[in-house]
Amino acid sequence: MNGPAEHPRYAVVVPTLGRPSLRRCLEALAAAPGPGPARLVLVHDRPGDGGNPPDLPVPEALRPVTLVVPGRARGPAAARNTGARRAGNVPWIVFLDDDVVPSETWRADLARDLAAARADTAAVTARIDVPLPGGRRPTDNERNTAGLATARWITADMAVRTEALDAADGFDERFHRAFREDADLALRLLAGGWHLAEGSRRTTHPARAADRWTSVRQQAGNADDVLMRRLHGPDWRASAAAPRGRLSRHRAVTAAGAAALVCALTGHRAAALACALGWAAGTAEFTLIRVLPGPRTRQEITDMILTSAVIPPAATWHWLRGLVLHRSVIPGRPARAPARPPAADRAAGPAAPTGETRRTEGTAARQEAV
């Protein structure tokens, strides 16, 4: 195992769409004391004319090691793979999202995390802080973002051993959204006999401003859940510590609404009324559980009423879409097993709590309404 004075070399890979939050992320990375990255790879997933990425706000201190490459517009999993291939010959790659803010001691803390890792440790995660507003209750979107603070395997800030990433053949690029791609990688690594650990470094993930329909768009993750089931079997949620969500209720509410419409069109008024009452009761219950924890402002209540009516059919539609899209997917293969750890590492035992035992998966929390 690396001694405390040895600082393992690492690269940082940041998939980005060029959002304003990237500047704050890179400035915090540049300002932190401690060993810096051997390379910083920014994968711009919206390349400009001719496929060339635009200029990005890279601090002066990081420019000598920075490489900006175009992505393929296929989502963060593909962008991370693109960045990893350009990271150079380093034992560790740290994946950061472009909307996080590394702490003031992040680089020094990262060096300690990597130096303490066992030889069979595939990844070391950060501790994510999600600041919530003071003086009022958080909104529905802020509560969902706060779920990242209890994430198990979150690539908002995850250091992955290059050997382990190669053993897993990288991220699965069939996950096109920032959802479940981290849990999929972790399950494949664990199945291959790798160890996942929690580090000491801290990273802040602010809750971004969201429009009214953000929670509706998040229902696309139901298709990713179908892919997870195909890859990891019906018990994948237990393995990933992922809550079941509300999909079964959303399907029931959607079925009641559809049945009410069909019965009304075919002249079955009594049946239509009964089904409509079932739809209304289910929608009202869903609205209520989203309104009560929030600030209960007029705007928030209006948003919850509107989106609570749309989310069940949206969730059902994406689930059906996933069944069709992933109908031919076969179970995934575990990552290749790590090399046998040196005797010194085996005697030292685990350096940190494993990822398997620590927290509820944050990507599920991001889709709490599902």
Side-chain angles (χ1 to χ4, degrees):
M1 193 161 52
N2 295 300
E6 299 178 19
H7 302 303
R9 296 173 68 249
Y10 67 95
V12 173
V13 171
V14 184
T16 183
L17 300 176
R19 297 183 293 188
S21 58
L22 177 65
R23 180 185 298 275
R24 188 179 178 191
C25 174
L26 297 183
E27 288 177 347
L29 176 62
R39 182 171 293 178
L40 168 62
V41 185
L42 304 178
V43 184
H44 198 288
D45 221 19
R46 286 182 183 168
D49 296 337
N52 297 316
D55 292 335
L56 295 175
V58 181
E60 185 68 33
L62 293 175
R63 288 181 185 177
V65 298
T66 298
L67 179 64
V68 180
V69 299
R72 291 169 284 153
R74 294 184 58 189
R80 293 190 190 104
N81 286 340
T82 296
R85 286 192 287 268
R86 305 296 295 274
N89 185 21
V90 290
W92 291 91
I93 299 174
V94 183
F95 295 101
L96 293 177
D97 285 352
D98 70 352
D99 56 352
V100 302
V101 183
S103 70
E104 294 179 355
T105 58
W106 187 87
R107 288 181 4 186
D109 294 339
L110 172 68
R112 284 191 293 271
D113 288 347
L114 300 186
R118 302 184 335 192
D120 62 344
T121 295
V124 184
T125 60
R127 304 185 184 199
I128 303 298
D129 297 321
V130 180
L132 293 176
R136 65 166 174 82
R137 297 181 178 184
T139 64
D140 180 69
N141 175 67
E142 290 166 344
R143 293 195 304 274
N144 284 339
T145 304
L148 299 177
T150 55
R152 171 174 283 187
W153 306 304
I154 179 172
T155 41
D157 182 345
M158 178 184 284
V160 182
R161 192 183 294 274
T162 305
E163 177 190 352
L165 191 64
D166 291 342
D169 295 323
F171 290 88
D172 190 330
E173 298 185 7
R174 287 172 292 188
F175 292 93
H176 293 162
R177 304 173 62 253
F179 189 69
R180 301 299 191 210
E181 83 290 354
D182 41 16
D184 166 72
L185 176 65
L187 289 180
R188 288 186 285 123
L189 288 168
L190 291 172
W194 290 89
H195 168 82
L196 302 179
E198 179 184 27
S200 62
R201 67 192 186 279
R202 307 196 77 93
T203 297
T204 298
H205 192 303
R208 298 196 308 267
D211 63 59
R212 170 177 289 171
W213 304 109
T214 295
S215 58
V216 176
R217 291 192 296 271
Q218 289 174 342
Q219 305 313 308
N222 285 283
D224 299 315
D225 283 351
V226 174
L227 178 55
M228 287 291 288
R229 181 183 176 93
R230 299 289 194 215
L231 292 172
H232 301 288
D235 296 328
W236 72 268
R237 288 185 180 274
S239 302
R244 296 198 61 83
R246 295 180 58 92
L247 179 59
S248 59
R249 295 188 184 188
H250 289 336
R251 291 196 301 243
V253 169
T254 301
L261 181 60
V262 170
C263 289
L265 292 175
T266 56
H268 297 82
R269 295 183 178 180
L273 178 59
C275 291
L277 289 174
W279 172 85
T283 302
E285 181 267 341
F286 184 40
T287 303
L288 191 63
I289 66 169
R290 299 176 71 209
V291 167
L292 290 179
R296 305 181 198 174
T297 62
R298 177 177 297 181
Q299 182 66 54
E300 178 77 358
I301 292 173
T302 301
D303 290 350
M304 294 302 98
I305 291 174
L306 292 175
T307 57
S308 294
V310 178
I311 283 175
T316 302
W317 160 251
H318 286 295
W319 170 70
L320 292 171
R321 180 176 63 86
L323 291 178
V324 174
L325 183 64
H326 304 305
R327 63 188 181 280
S328 300
V329 172
I330 61 176
R333 293 181 300 177
R336 295 182 294 277
R340 184 173 177 81
D345 281 354
R346 294 198 303 271
T354 64
E356 300 100 301
T357 58
R358 94 173 157 89
R359 300 183 292 181
T360 302
E361 194 215 352
T363 49
R366 277 179 280 172
Q367 201 185 16
E368 186 179 75
V370 171

